[in-house]
Amino acid sequence: MVSHQLLELEQSIHNLSLEDKLWLLDKIFEQVRGTSEHEQESNHQQNLQYDERAKPIWEIAVEIGAKIPDSEWEKVPSDLSKNFDLYQG
């Protein structure tokens, strides 16, 4: 059974402008997404276990980079990290 408070809330929402209803809907979605994302993240973190055999990410990056020919690396701008936004496209 629906509580009296929810019925009052429904009536209040009914009286809002469309703009206010959309704002409220957005806030409700934020709350729901935030709650479910937090719960999923919390559950995921509880299941994580450290694996000493796993390669560090920097070693993996070096291995991948070593497979790229020097001719391709020469195409990468030397100021890419400073001007990344300019080179996106």
Coordinates of all heavy atoms in Angstrom, one line a residue:
M1 N 0.8 -1.2 0.0 CA 0.0 0.0 0.0 C 0.9 1.2 0.0 O 1.9 1.3 0.7 CB -0.9 0.0 1.2 CG -1.8 1.1 1.3 SD -3.1 0.9 2.5 CE -3.7 2.5 2.6
V2 N 0.5 2.2 -0.7 CA 1.2 3.5 -0.9 C 0.9 4.4 0.3 O -0.2 4.5 0.8 CB 0.8 4.2 -2.2 CG1 1.5 5.5 -2.3 CG2 1.1 3.3 -3.4
S3 N 2.0 4.9 0.9 CA 1.9 5.8 2.1 C 1.2 7.1 1.7 O 1.2 7.5 0.6 CB 3.2 6.1 2.7 OG 4.0 7.0 1.9
H4 N 0.7 7.7 2.7 CA 0.0 9.0 2.6 C 1.0 10.1 2.1 O 0.7 10.9 1.3 CB -0.6 9.4 3.9 CG -1.3 10.8 3.9 ND1 -2.4 11.0 3.2 CD2 -1.0 12.0 4.5 CE1 -2.8 12.3 3.3 NE2 -1.9 12.9 4.1
Q5 N 2.2 10.0 2.6 CA 3.3 10.9 2.1 C 3.5 10.8 0.7 O 3.7 11.9 0.0 CB 4.6 10.7 2.9 CG 4.5 11.1 4.3 CD 5.8 10.8 5.1 OE1 6.3 9.7 4.9 NE2 6.3 11.7 5.8
L6 N 3.6 9.6 0.1 CA 3.8 9.5 -1.3 C 2.6 10.0 -2.1 O 2.8 10.6 -3.2 CB 4.0 8.0 -1.6 CG 5.4 7.5 -1.3 CD1 5.5 6.0 -1.6 CD2 6.5 8.2 -2.0
L7 N 1.4 9.8 -1.6 CA 0.3 10.3 -2.3 C 0.3 11.9 -2.4 O 0.0 12.5 -3.4 CB -1.0 9.8 -1.7 CG -1.3 8.3 -1.9 CD1 -2.5 7.9 -1.1 CD2 -1.5 8.0 -3.3
E8 N 0.7 12.5 -1.2 CA 0.8 13.9 -1.2 C 1.9 14.4 -2.1 O 1.8 15.4 -2.8 CB 1.1 14.4 0.2 CG 0.0 14.3 1.2 CD 0.3 14.8 2.6 OE1 1.5 15.3 2.8 OE2 -0.6 14.7 3.5
L9 N 3.0 13.7 -2.2 CA 4.1 14.0 -3.0 C 3.7 13.9 -4.5 O 4.0 14.8 -5.3 CB 5.3 13.0 -2.8 CG 6.6 13.3 -3.6 CD1 7.1 14.7 -3.4 CD2 7.6 12.2 -3.3
E10 N 3.0 12.9 -4.8 CA 2.5 12.7 -6.2 C 1.6 13.9 -6.6 O 1.8 14.5 -7.7 CB 1.6 11.5 -6.3 CG 1.1 11.3 -7.7 CD 0.2 10.1 -7.9 OE1 -0.4 9.7 -6.8 OE2 0.0 9.6 -9.0
Q11 N 0.8 14.4 -5.7 CA -0.1 15.6 -6.0 C 0.8 16.8 -6.2 O 0.5 17.6 -7.1 CB -1.1 15.8 -4.9 CG -2.1 16.9 -5.2 CD -2.9 16.7 -6.5 OE1 -3.3 15.6 -6.8 NE2 -3.0 17.8 -7.2
S12 N 1.8 17.0 -5.3 CA 2.7 18.1 -5.4 C 3.4 18.1 -6.8 O 3.6 19.1 -7.4 CB 3.7 18.1 -4.3 OG 3.1 18.3 -3.1
I13 N 3.9 16.9 -7.2 CA 4.6 16.8 -8.5 C 3.6 17.1 -9.6 O 4.0 17.8 -10.6 CB 5.2 15.4 -8.6 CG1 6.3 15.2 -7.6 CG2 5.6 15.2 -10.1 CD1 6.8 13.8 -7.5
H14 N 2.4 16.7 -9.5 CA 1.4 17.0 -10.5 C 1.2 18.5 -10.7 O 1.0 18.9 -11.8 CB 0.0 16.3 -10.1 CG -1.0 16.6 -11.1 ND1 -1.1 16.0 -12.3 CD2 -2.1 17.4 -11.0 CE1 -2.2 16.4 -13.0 NE2 -2.8 17.3 -12.2
N15 N 1.4 19.2 -9.7 CA 1.2 20.7 -9.7 C 2.4 21.5 -10.2 O 2.3 22.7 -10.4 CB 0.8 21.2 -8.4 CG -0.6 20.7 -7.9 OD1 -1.4 20.4 -8.7 ND2 -0.8 20.6 -6.6
L16 N 3.5 20.8 -10.4 CA 4.8 21.4 -10.9 C 4.7 21.7 -12.4 O 4.0 21.1 -13.2 CB 6.0 20.5 -10.6 CG 6.4 20.3 -9.2 CD1 7.5 19.2 -9.1 CD2 6.8 21.5 -8.5
S17 N 5.5 22.7 -12.8 CA 5.7 23.0 -14.2 C 6.5 21.8 -14.9 O 7.1 21.1 -14.2 CB 6.4 24.3 -14.4 OG 7.8 24.2 -14.0
L18 N 6.4 21.8 -16.2 CA 7.1 20.7 -16.9 C 8.6 20.9 -16.6 O 9.3 19.9 -16.4 CB 6.9 20.8 -18.4 CG 7.6 19.8 -19.2 CD1 7.3 18.4 -18.8 CD2 7.3 20.0 -20.7
E19 N 9.1 22.1 -16.6 CA 10.5 22.3 -16.3 C 10.9 21.8 -14.9 O 12.0 21.1 -14.8 CB 10.9 23.8 -16.5 CG 12.3 24.1 -16.2 CD 12.6 25.6 -16.4 OE1 11.8 26.3 -17.1 OE2 13.5 26.1 -15.7
D20 N 10.1 22.1 -14.0 CA 10.4 21.6 -12.6 C 10.3 20.1 -12.5 O 11.1 19.4 -11.8 CB 9.4 22.2 -11.6 CG 9.7 23.7 -11.4 OD1 10.8 24.2 -11.8 OD2 8.9 24.4 -10.8
K21 N 9.4 19.5 -13.2 CA 9.2 18.0 -13.2 C 10.5 17.4 -13.8 O 11.0 16.4 -13.3 CB 8.0 17.6 -14.0 CG 6.7 17.9 -13.3 CD 5.5 17.5 -14.2 CE 4.2 17.8 -13.5 NZ 3.1 17.6 -14.4
L22 N 11.0 18.0 -14.9 CA 12.2 17.4 -15.6 C 13.4 17.6 -14.7 O 14.2 16.7 -14.6 CB 12.4 18.1 -16.9 CG 11.4 17.8 -18.0 CD1 11.6 18.7 -19.2 CD2 11.4 16.3 -18.4
W23 N 13.5 18.7 -14.0 CA 14.6 18.9 -13.0 C 14.5 17.8 -11.9 O 15.5 17.2 -11.6 CB 14.5 20.3 -12.4 CG 15.6 20.6 -11.4 CD1 16.8 21.0 -11.6 CD2 15.5 20.3 -10.0 NE1 17.5 21.1 -10.4 CE2 16.7 20.7 -9.4 CE3 14.5 19.8 -9.1 CZ2 17.0 20.6 -8.1 CZ3 14.8 19.7 -7.8 CH2 16.0 20.1 -7.3
L24 N 13.3 17.6 -11.4 CA 13.1 16.7 -10.3 C 13.5 15.2 -10.8 O 14.1 14.5 -10.1 CB 11.7 16.7 -9.8 CG 11.3 15.7 -8.7 CD1 12.2 16.0 -7.4 CD2 9.9 15.9 -8.3
L25 N 13.0 14.9 -12.0 CA 13.3 13.6 -12.6 C 14.8 13.4 -12.7 O 15.4 12.3 -12.4 CB 12.6 13.5 -13.9 CG 12.8 12.1 -14.6 CD1 12.2 11.0 -13.8 CD2 12.1 12.2 -16.0
D26 N 15.5 14.4 -13.2 CA 17.0 14.4 -13.3 C 17.6 14.1 -11.9 O 18.5 13.3 -11.8 CB 17.5 15.7 -13.9 CG 19.0 15.6 -14.2 OD1 19.4 14.6 -14.8 OD2 19.7 16.5 -13.8
K27 N 17.2 14.8 -10.9 CA 17.7 14.6 -9.5 C 17.4 13.2 -9.0 O 18.3 12.6 -8.4 CB 17.1 15.6 -8.6 CG 17.6 17.0 -8.9 CD 19.0 17.2 -8.8 CE 19.5 18.5 -9.2 NZ 21.0 18.6 -9.4
I28 N 16.3 12.7 -9.3 CA 15.9 11.3 -8.9 C 16.9 10.3 -9.6 O 17.4 9.4 -9.0 CB 14.5 11.0 -9.2 CG1 13.6 11.8 -8.3 CG2 14.2 9.5 -9.0 CD1 12.1 11.8 -8.6
F29 N 17.1 10.5 -10.9 CA 18.0 9.6 -11.6 C 19.4 9.7 -11.1 O 20.1 8.7 -10.9 CB 18.0 10.0 -13.1 CG 16.9 9.4 -13.9 CD1 16.4 10.2 -15.0 CD2 16.3 8.2 -13.6 CE1 15.3 9.7 -15.7 CE2 15.2 7.7 -14.4 CZ 14.7 8.5 -15.4
E30 N 19.9 10.9 -10.7 CA 21.2 11.0 -10.1 C 21.3 10.2 -8.8 O 22.3 9.6 -8.6 CB 21.5 12.5 -9.8 CG 21.9 13.3 -11.1 CD 22.1 14.8 -10.7 OE1 22.2 15.1 -9.5 OE2 22.2 15.6 -11.7
Q31 N 20.2 10.3 -8.0 CA 20.2 9.6 -6.7 C 20.3 8.1 -7.0 O 21.0 7.4 -6.3 CB 19.0 10.0 -5.9 CG 18.9 11.4 -5.4 CD 19.4 11.5 -4.0 OE1 19.3 10.5 -3.3 NE2 20.0 12.6 -3.6
V32 N 19.4 7.6 -7.9 CA 19.4 6.2 -8.1 C 20.7 5.7 -8.7 O 21.2 4.7 -8.3 CB 18.2 5.9 -9.1 CG1 18.2 4.4 -9.6 CG2 16.9 6.2 -8.4
R33 N 21.2 6.4 -9.7 CA 22.5 6.0 -10.3 C 23.6 6.0 -9.2 O 24.4 5.1 -9.2 CB 22.9 6.9 -11.5 CG 22.2 6.5 -12.8 CD 22.8 7.3 -13.9 NE 22.6 8.7 -13.6 CZ 22.0 9.6 -14.4 NH1 21.5 9.2 -15.5 NH2 21.8 10.8 -14.1
G34 N 23.6 7.1 -8.4 CA 24.7 7.2 -7.4 C 24.6 6.1 -6.4 O 25.6 5.5 -6.0
T35 N 23.4 5.7 -6.0 CA 23.3 4.6 -5.1 C 23.7 3.3 -5.7 O 24.5 2.5 -5.1 CB 21.8 4.5 -4.6 OG1 21.4 5.8 -4.0 CG2 21.6 3.4 -3.6
S36 N 23.2 3.0 -6.9 CA 23.5 1.7 -7.5 C 25.0 1.6 -7.8 O 25.6 0.6 -7.7 CB 22.7 1.4 -8.7 OG 22.9 2.4 -9.7
E37 N 25.6 2.7 -8.3 CA 27.0 2.7 -8.7 C 27.9 2.5 -7.4 O 28.8 1.8 -7.4 CB 27.4 4.0 -9.4 CG 26.9 4.1 -10.8 CD 27.2 5.5 -11.4 OE1 27.9 6.3 -10.8 OE2 26.8 5.7 -12.5
H38 N 27.5 3.2 -6.3 CA 28.2 3.0 -5.1 C 28.1 1.6 -4.6 O 29.1 1.0 -4.1 CB 27.7 4.0 -4.0 CG 28.3 3.9 -2.7 ND1 29.6 4.2 -2.5 CD2 27.9 3.4 -1.5 CE1 30.0 4.0 -1.2 NE2 28.9 3.5 -0.6
E39 N 26.9 1.0 -4.6 CA 26.8 -0.4 -4.2 C 27.6 -1.3 -5.0 O 28.2 -2.2 -4.5 CB 25.3 -0.8 -4.2 CG 24.4 -0.1 -3.2 CD 23.0 -0.3 -3.4 OE1 22.6 -1.0 -4.3 OE2 22.2 0.1 -2.5
Q40 N 27.6 -1.1 -6.4 CA 28.4 -2.0 -7.2 C 29.8 -1.8 -7.0 O 30.6 -2.8 -6.9 CB 28.1 -1.7 -8.7 CG 26.7 -2.1 -9.2 CD 26.4 -1.6 -10.6 OE1 27.1 -0.9 -11.2 NE2 25.2 -1.9 -11.1
E41 N 30.3 -0.6 -6.8 CA 31.7 -0.3 -6.5 C 32.1 -1.0 -5.2 O 33.2 -1.6 -5.1 CB 32.0 1.2 -6.5 CG 33.4 1.5 -6.3 CD 33.6 3.0 -6.4 OE1 33.1 3.7 -7.3 OE2 34.3 3.5 -5.5
S42 N 31.3 -0.8 -4.2 CA 31.6 -1.4 -2.9 C 31.7 -2.9 -3.0 O 32.6 -3.6 -2.5 CB 30.5 -1.0 -1.9 OG 30.7 -1.6 -0.7
N43 N 30.7 -3.5 -3.7 CA 30.7 -5.0 -3.9 C 32.0 -5.4 -4.6 O 32.6 -6.5 -4.3 CB 29.5 -5.5 -4.6 CG 28.2 -5.4 -3.7 OD1 28.3 -5.3 -2.5 ND2 27.1 -5.3 -4.3
H44 N 32.3 -4.7 -5.7 CA 33.5 -5.0 -6.5 C 34.7 -4.9 -5.7 O 35.6 -5.8 -5.8 CB 33.5 -4.1 -7.7 CG 34.7 -4.4 -8.6 ND1 34.7 -5.6 -9.4 CD2 35.8 -3.8 -8.9 CE1 35.8 -5.6 -10.1 NE2 36.5 -4.5 -9.8
Q45 N 34.9 -3.9 -4.9 CA 36.1 -3.7 -4.1 C 36.2 -4.8 -3.1 O 37.4 -5.3 -2.8 CB 36.1 -2.4 -3.4 CG 36.3 -1.2 -4.4 CD 36.2 0.1 -3.7 OE1 35.8 0.2 -2.5 NE2 36.6 1.2 -4.4
Q46 N 35.2 -5.3 -2.6 CA 35.2 -6.4 -1.6 C 35.7 -7.7 -2.2 O 36.3 -8.5 -1.5 CB 33.9 -6.6 -0.9 CG 33.4 -5.5 0.0 CD 32.0 -5.7 0.5 OE1 31.3 -6.6 0.1 NE2 31.6 -4.7 1.3
N47 N 35.5 -7.9 -3.5 CA 35.9 -9.1 -4.2 C 37.3 -9.0 -4.8 O 37.8 -10.0 -5.3 CB 34.9 -9.4 -5.3 CG 33.5 -9.7 -4.8 OD1 33.4 -10.2 -3.7 ND2 32.5 -9.4 -5.5
L48 N 38.0 -7.9 -4.7 CA 39.3 -7.7 -5.3 C 40.3 -8.4 -4.4 O 40.3 -8.3 -3.2 CB 39.6 -6.2 -5.5 CG 38.9 -5.5 -6.5 CD1 39.3 -4.0 -6.6 CD2 39.1 -6.1 -7.9
Q49 N 41.3 -9.0 -5.1 CA 42.4 -9.6 -4.3 C 43.6 -9.3 -5.1 O 43.7 -9.3 -6.3 CB 42.2 -11.2 -4.3 CG 41.0 -11.6 -3.4 CD 40.9 -13.1 -3.3 OE1 41.7 -13.8 -3.9 NE2 39.9 -13.6 -2.6
Y50 N 44.7 -9.0 -4.3 CA 46.0 -8.7 -4.9 C 46.6 -9.9 -5.5 O 46.7 -10.9 -4.8 CB 46.9 -8.0 -3.9 CG 48.2 -7.6 -4.4 CD1 48.3 -6.5 -5.3 CD2 49.3 -8.3 -4.1 CE1 49.5 -6.2 -5.8 CE2 50.6 -7.9 -4.6 CZ 50.7 -6.9 -5.4 OH 51.9 -6.5 -5.9
D51 N 47.1 -9.8 -6.7 CA 47.8 -10.9 -7.3 C 49.2 -10.5 -7.6 O 49.5 -9.7 -8.4 CB 47.1 -11.3 -8.7 CG 47.7 -12.5 -9.3 OD1 48.7 -13.0 -8.8 OD2 47.2 -12.9 -10.4
E52 N 50.2 -11.1 -6.8 CA 51.6 -10.7 -6.9 C 52.2 -11.1 -8.3 O 53.2 -10.6 -8.7 CB 52.4 -11.4 -5.8 CG 52.0 -10.8 -4.4 CD 52.9 -11.5 -3.3 OE1 53.9 -12.1 -3.7 OE2 52.5 -11.3 -2.2
R53 N 51.5 -12.1 -9.0 CA 52.0 -12.5 -10.3 C 51.6 -11.5 -11.4 O 52.2 -11.6 -12.5 CB 51.5 -13.9 -10.6 CG 51.9 -15.0 -9.6 CD 51.1 -16.2 -9.8 NE 49.7 -15.9 -9.5 CZ 48.7 -16.6 -9.8 NH1 48.8 -17.8 -10.4 NH2 47.4 -16.3 -9.5
A54 N 50.7 -10.7 -11.2 CA 50.2 -9.7 -12.2 C 51.3 -8.7 -12.6 O 52.0 -8.2 -11.7 CB 49.0 -9.0 -11.7
K55 N 51.5 -8.5 -13.9 CA 52.5 -7.5 -14.3 C 52.0 -6.1 -14.0 O 50.8 -5.8 -14.1 CB 52.6 -7.5 -15.8 CG 53.5 -8.7 -16.3 CD 53.7 -8.5 -17.8 CE 54.4 -9.7 -18.4 NZ 54.6 -9.6 -19.8
P56 N 52.9 -5.2 -13.6 CA 52.5 -3.8 -13.4 C 52.1 -3.2 -14.7 O 52.6 -3.6 -15.8 CB 53.8 -3.2 -12.9 CG 54.7 -4.3 -12.4 CD 54.3 -5.5 -13.3
I57 N 51.2 -2.3 -14.7 CA 50.6 -1.7 -15.9 C 51.7 -1.0 -16.7 O 51.6 -1.0 -17.9 CB 49.4 -0.7 -15.5 CG1 48.7 -0.2 -16.8 CG2 50.0 0.5 -14.7 CD1 47.9 -1.3 -17.4
W58 N 52.7 -0.4 -16.1 CA 53.7 0.2 -16.9 C 54.5 -0.8 -17.7 O 54.9 -0.4 -18.8 CB 54.6 1.1 -16.0 CG 55.5 0.3 -15.0 CD1 55.1 0.0 -13.7 CD2 56.7 -0.3 -15.2 NE1 56.1 -0.8 -13.1 CE2 57.1 -1.0 -14.0 CE3 57.6 -0.3 -16.3 CZ2 58.3 -1.6 -13.9 CZ3 58.8 -1.0 -16.2 CH2 59.2 -1.6 -15.0
E59 N 54.7 -2.0 -17.2 CA 55.4 -3.0 -18.0 C 54.5 -3.4 -19.2 O 55.1 -3.6 -20.3 CB 55.7 -4.2 -17.1 CG 56.9 -4.0 -16.2 CD 57.2 -5.3 -15.4 OE1 56.7 -6.4 -15.8 OE2 57.9 -5.2 -14.4
I60 N 53.3 -3.5 -19.0 CA 52.4 -3.8 -20.1 C 52.4 -2.7 -21.2 O 52.5 -3.0 -22.4 CB 50.9 -4.1 -19.6 CG1 50.9 -5.3 -18.7 CG2 49.9 -4.2 -20.7 CD1 49.6 -5.5 -17.9
A61 N 52.4 -1.5 -20.7 CA 52.5 -0.3 -21.7 C 53.8 -0.4 -22.4 O 53.8 -0.1 -23.7 CB 52.3 1.0 -20.9
V62 N 54.9 -0.7 -21.8 CA 56.2 -0.7 -22.5 C 56.2 -1.8 -23.5 O 56.7 -1.7 -24.6 CB 57.3 -0.9 -21.4 CG1 58.6 -1.3 -22.1 CG2 57.5 0.3 -20.6
E63 N 55.6 -3.0 -23.2 CA 55.5 -4.1 -24.1 C 54.7 -3.8 -25.3 O 55.1 -4.1 -26.5 CB 54.9 -5.3 -23.4 CG 55.9 -6.0 -22.4 CD 55.2 -7.1 -21.7 OE1 54.0 -7.5 -22.0 OE2 55.9 -7.7 -20.8
I64 N 53.6 -3.1 -25.1 CA 52.7 -2.7 -26.3 C 53.5 -1.7 -27.1 O 53.5 -1.8 -28.3 CB 51.4 -2.1 -25.8 CG1 50.6 -3.3 -25.1 CG2 50.6 -1.5 -26.9 CD1 49.3 -2.8 -24.4
G65 N 54.1 -0.7 -26.4 CA 54.8 0.3 -27.2 C 56.0 -0.2 -28.0 O 56.3 0.3 -29.1
A66 N 56.6 -1.3 -27.5 CA 57.7 -1.9 -28.2 C 57.3 -2.5 -29.5 O 58.1 -2.7 -30.4 CB 58.4 -2.9 -27.3
K67 N 56.0 -2.9 -29.6 CA 55.5 -3.5 -30.8 C 55.2 -2.5 -31.9 O 54.9 -2.9 -33.1 CB 54.3 -4.3 -30.5 CG 54.5 -5.5 -29.6 CD 53.2 -6.2 -29.2 CE 53.5 -7.3 -28.2 NZ 52.3 -8.0 -27.8
I68 N 55.2 -1.2 -31.6 CA 54.9 -0.2 -32.6 C 56.2 0.2 -33.3 O 57.2 0.6 -32.6 CB 54.2 1.0 -31.9 CG1 52.9 0.6 -31.2 CG2 54.0 2.2 -32.8 CD1 52.3 1.6 -30.3
P69 N 56.2 0.2 -34.6 CA 57.4 0.6 -35.3 C 57.8 2.1 -35.0 O 57.0 2.9 -34.8 CB 57.0 0.5 -36.8 CG 55.7 -0.3 -36.8 CD 55.1 -0.1 -35.5
D70 N 59.1 2.3 -35.1 CA 59.7 3.6 -34.9 C 59.1 4.6 -35.8 O 58.8 5.8 -35.4 CB 61.2 3.6 -35.0 CG 61.9 2.9 -33.8 OD1 61.2 2.8 -32.8 OD2 63.0 2.6 -34.0
S71 N 58.8 4.2 -37.0 CA 58.2 5.1 -38.0 C 56.8 5.7 -37.5 O 56.5 6.8 -37.9 CB 58.0 4.5 -39.4 OG 57.2 3.3 -39.3
E72 N 56.1 4.9 -36.8 CA 54.8 5.4 -36.2 C 55.0 6.3 -35.1 O 54.3 7.3 -34.9 CB 53.9 4.2 -35.9 CG 53.4 3.4 -37.0 CD 52.6 4.2 -38.0 OE1 51.7 4.9 -37.6 OE2 52.9 4.1 -39.2
W73 N 56.0 6.0 -34.2 CA 56.3 6.8 -33.1 C 56.7 8.2 -33.5 O 56.5 9.2 -32.8 CB 57.4 6.2 -32.2 CG 56.9 5.1 -31.2 CD1 57.2 3.8 -31.2 CD2 55.9 5.3 -30.2 NE1 56.5 3.1 -30.3 CE2 55.7 4.0 -29.6 CE3 55.1 6.3 -29.7 CZ2 54.8 3.8 -28.6 CZ3 54.2 6.1 -28.7 CH2 54.1 4.9 -28.1
E74 N 57.4 8.3 -34.7 CA 57.9 9.6 -35.2 C 56.7 10.5 -35.6 O 56.9 11.7 -35.6 CB 58.8 9.3 -36.4 CG 60.1 8.7 -36.0 CD 61.0 8.3 -37.2 OE1 60.6 8.6 -38.3 OE2 62.0 7.7 -37.0
K75 N 55.6 9.9 -35.8 CA 54.4 10.7 -36.1 C 53.7 11.3 -34.9 O 52.9 12.2 -35.1 CB 53.3 9.8 -36.9 CG 53.8 9.3 -38.2 CD 52.8 8.3 -38.8 CE 53.3 7.7 -40.0 NZ 52.3 6.7 -40.6
V76 N 54.0 10.9 -33.7 CA 53.4 11.4 -32.5 C 54.1 12.7 -32.2 O 55.3 12.8 -32.1 CB 53.7 10.4 -31.3 CG1 53.1 11.0 -30.0 CG2 53.0 9.1 -31.6
P77 N 53.3 13.8 -32.1 CA 53.9 15.1 -31.8 C 54.6 15.2 -30.5 O 54.2 14.5 -29.5 CB 52.6 16.0 -31.7 CG 51.5 15.3 -32.4 CD 51.8 13.8 -32.2
S78 N 55.7 15.9 -30.4 CA 56.5 15.9 -29.2 C 55.8 16.7 -28.1 O 56.1 16.5 -26.9 CB 57.9 16.6 -29.5 OG 57.7 17.9 -29.9
D79 N 54.8 17.5 -28.4 CA 54.1 18.3 -27.4 C 52.7 17.7 -27.1 O 51.8 18.4 -26.7 CB 54.0 19.7 -27.8 CG 53.2 20.0 -29.1 OD1 53.0 19.0 -29.8 OD2 52.8 21.1 -29.3
L80 N 52.5 16.5 -27.5 CA 51.2 15.9 -27.4 C 50.6 16.0 -26.0 O 49.4 16.3 -25.8 CB 51.2 14.4 -27.8 CG 49.9 13.7 -27.7 CD1 48.8 14.3 -28.6 CD2 50.0 12.2 -28.1
S81 N 51.4 15.7 -24.9 CA 50.9 15.7 -23.6 C 50.4 17.1 -23.1 O 49.5 17.3 -22.4 CB 51.9 15.1 -22.6 OG 53.0 16.0 -22.5
K82 N 51.1 18.1 -23.7 CA 50.8 19.5 -23.3 C 49.6 20.1 -24.1 O 48.9 20.9 -23.6 CB 52.0 20.4 -23.5 CG 53.2 20.1 -22.6 CD 54.3 21.0 -22.8 CE 55.5 20.7 -22.0 NZ 56.7 21.4 -22.3
N83 N 49.5 19.6 -25.3 CA 48.5 20.1 -26.2 C 47.5 19.1 -26.7 O 47.1 19.1 -27.9 CB 49.1 20.8 -27.4 CG 50.0 22.0 -27.0 OD1 49.5 22.9 -26.3 ND2 51.2 22.0 -27.4
F84 N 47.2 18.1 -25.8 CA 46.3 17.0 -26.2 C 45.0 17.5 -26.9 O 44.6 16.9 -27.9 CB 46.0 16.2 -25.0 CG 45.2 15.0 -25.3 CD1 45.7 13.9 -26.0 CD2 43.8 14.9 -24.9 CE1 44.9 12.8 -26.3 CE2 43.1 13.8 -25.2 CZ 43.6 12.7 -25.9
D85 N 44.4 18.5 -26.3 CA 43.1 19.0 -26.8 C 43.2 19.5 -28.3 O 42.3 19.3 -29.1 CB 42.6 20.2 -26.0 CG 42.1 19.7 -24.6 OD1 41.8 18.5 -24.5 OD2 42.0 20.5 -23.7
L86 N 44.4 20.0 -28.6 CA 44.6 20.5 -30.0 C 44.7 19.3 -31.0 O 44.3 19.5 -32.2 CB 45.9 21.3 -30.1 CG 45.9 22.6 -29.3 CD1 47.3 23.3 -29.4 CD2 44.8 23.6 -29.9
Y87 N 45.2 18.2 -30.5 CA 45.4 17.1 -31.4 C 44.2 16.1 -31.5 O 44.2 15.2 -32.3 CB 46.7 16.3 -31.0 CG 47.9 17.1 -31.2 CD1 48.6 17.7 -30.2 CD2 48.4 17.4 -32.5 CE1 49.8 18.4 -30.4 CE2 49.5 18.1 -32.7 CZ 50.2 18.6 -31.7 OH 51.4 19.4 -31.9
Q88 N 43.3 16.3 -30.6 CA 42.1 15.4 -30.7 C 41.3 15.7 -32.0 O 41.2 16.9 -32.4 CB 41.1 15.7 -29.5 CG 41.7 15.1 -28.2 CD 40.6 15.2 -27.2 OE1 39.7 14.4 -27.1 NE2 40.7 16.2 -26.3
G89 N 40.7 14.8 -32.5 CA 40.0 15.1 -33.7 C 39.6 14.0 -34.5 O 38.9 13.7 -35.3

